[in-house]
Amino acid sequence: MKWHFDDFIYGSIDGAVTTFAIVAGVMGASLPSTIILILGFANLFADGFSMAAANYQASKARNEFIEMKRRQEEWEIDNLEEQEREEIREIYREKGFKDELLEDVVRIITSKRKVWIDTMMKEELGLIEDEKNPLDSSVSTFVGFNLVGLIPLIPFMVFMIIGIELNSEAFGYSIVSVAAAFFLVGMIKGKIVKKSILHSGINTLIIGGVAAIVAYFVGYGLNFLVS
C-alpha cells in the first residue's frame, strides 16, 4: 500500500471536526459522557467508512473517466491524424510559437505517439493522469479520520475508565487536545501544499472552532426547548 498524505489530511480534518462537533453538541445538551462516547464512536466508524467509500468511488470514477478520454484521443490520432496534428499546432500557436519553431515543436510532439497523446490530454482536455490507487486513497482517508477523530473522545474515555463523571473538566481537556490537533493537522497541510504553515494551522483551527461552537449552541438550544 502506498500512503497518501493529502487524503490522510483530508480525513483527519473532517474526523476531528465532526467528532468534536458531536462532543460539543452533546455537552451543550447537558447529556452524560456515555452518550458522547456512543455517538462519537458511531461517528468515527460510520462517517469514517462513508468518507473512505466516497473517496474510493470518486477516485475510481476519475481514473475511469481519464482512461476513457485517453482511449478517445488514441482513436482520434489513429483515425484523424491531420486534424489532431492541426490541434497541436493551434495549441502551441496560442502559446506564442510561430513559423519554423512552431513546426519543429509540432513535428517533435507528433513524432512520439505517447507524448502526442499526453499533450492532448493535458493541453486540450486539461486532464492529468492520477497514479493514485483508489483503495490506497480510501484507506488513507479512513485512517486519518479515525486516528485524529479519536482525539476529542480520549479525555472522556480516561475519565470513564477511572470512574470520574466530570464532563465539564473532560470537555475542557477535549477542547485543548482537539485545538492542538486542528493546529497540527493544519500545519502539516500547509507544509504539503507549500503554504504558510502558521496560516494554515490557524485557518484549520478556526474552521474546527466554528463547527464546534455551532454544534454546542445547537445542542444547548435543543436542550432548552425540550426541557
Side-chain angles (χ1 to χ4, degrees), residues 23-31 171 215-224:
V23 171
V26 173
M27 286 300 300
S30 301
L31 298 175
F171 187 47
Y216 180 85
F217 281 105
V218 168
Y220 181 83
L222 290 174
N223 182 55
F224 178 78

Side-chain angles (χ1 to χ4, degrees), residues 22-227:
I22 288 173
V23 171
V26 173
M27 286 300 300
S30 301
L31 298 175
S33 58
T34 51
I35 301 298
I36 291 175
L37 292 176
I38 291 171
L39 294 180
F41 277 102
N43 172 74
L44 279 178
F45 292 105
D47 202 13
F49 179 80
S50 176
M51 276 194 65
N55 194 356
Y56 175 84
Q57 291 295 334
S59 298
K60 188 170 183 291
R62 185 177 188 277
N63 288 348
E64 290 173 348
F65 176 75
I66 290 175
E67 180 60 30
M68 181 268 291
K69 285 296 185 180
R70 187 174 187 86
R71 288 197 301 269
Q72 180 179 320
E73 286 298 328
E74 290 173 349
W75 184 91
E76 290 177 355
I77 287 173
D78 290 338
N79 295 275
L80 304 169
E81 184 175 335
E82 288 306 316
Q83 181 178 323
E84 292 297 294
R85 183 176 281 106
E86 183 58 34
E87 288 182 7
I88 289 289
R89 184 175 288 108
E90 185 60 31
I91 287 171
Y92 282 90
R93 183 181 290 117
E94 291 180 359
K95 291 178 180 291
F97 293 85
K98 56 184 178 181
D99 302 330
E100 187 177 344
L101 180 58
L102 174 61
E103 294 307 315
D104 286 342
V105 170
V106 173
R107 177 177 53 79
I108 292 170
I109 290 175
T110 57
S111 65
K112 296 182 179 180
R113 191 169 186 271
K114 184 179 184 304
V115 174
W116 191 351
I117 295 170
D118 289 343
T119 302
M120 295 299 290
M121 291 286 290
K122 181 180 179 181
E123 301 294 344
E124 182 187 31
L125 303 177
L127 296 174
I128 299 176
E129 292 185 81
D130 192 349
E131 297 181 355
K132 290 199 302 184
N133 185 310
L135 182 59
D136 292 345
S137 294
S138 63
V139 171
S140 298
T141 300
F142 183 79
V143 171
F145 188 99
N146 281 271
L147 190 63
V148 181
L150 179 65
I151 292 175
L153 302 177
I154 292 176
F156 295 95
M157 294 168 59
V158 172
F159 274 56
M160 177 170 285
I161 290 172
I162 62 179
I164 300 176
E165 182 68 31
L166 295 173
N167 277 0
S168 59
E169 291 189 21
F171 187 47
Y173 286 117
S174 183
I175 291 173
V176 173
S177 60
V178 81
F182 280 142
F183 190 73
L184 180 60
V185 168
M187 290 177 66
I188 296 173
K189 182 188 72 172
K191 185 173 180 60
I192 290 174
V193 300
K194 301 187 185 308
K195 291 187 177 180
S196 168
I197 58 175
L198 181 61
H199 180 270
S200 182
I202 293 173
N203 185 57
T204 304
L205 178 59
I206 291 173
I207 292 172
V210 170
I213 291 170
V214 170
Y216 180 85
F217 281 105
V218 168
Y220 181 83
L222 290 174
N223 182 55
F224 178 78
L225 289 174
V226 299
S227 61

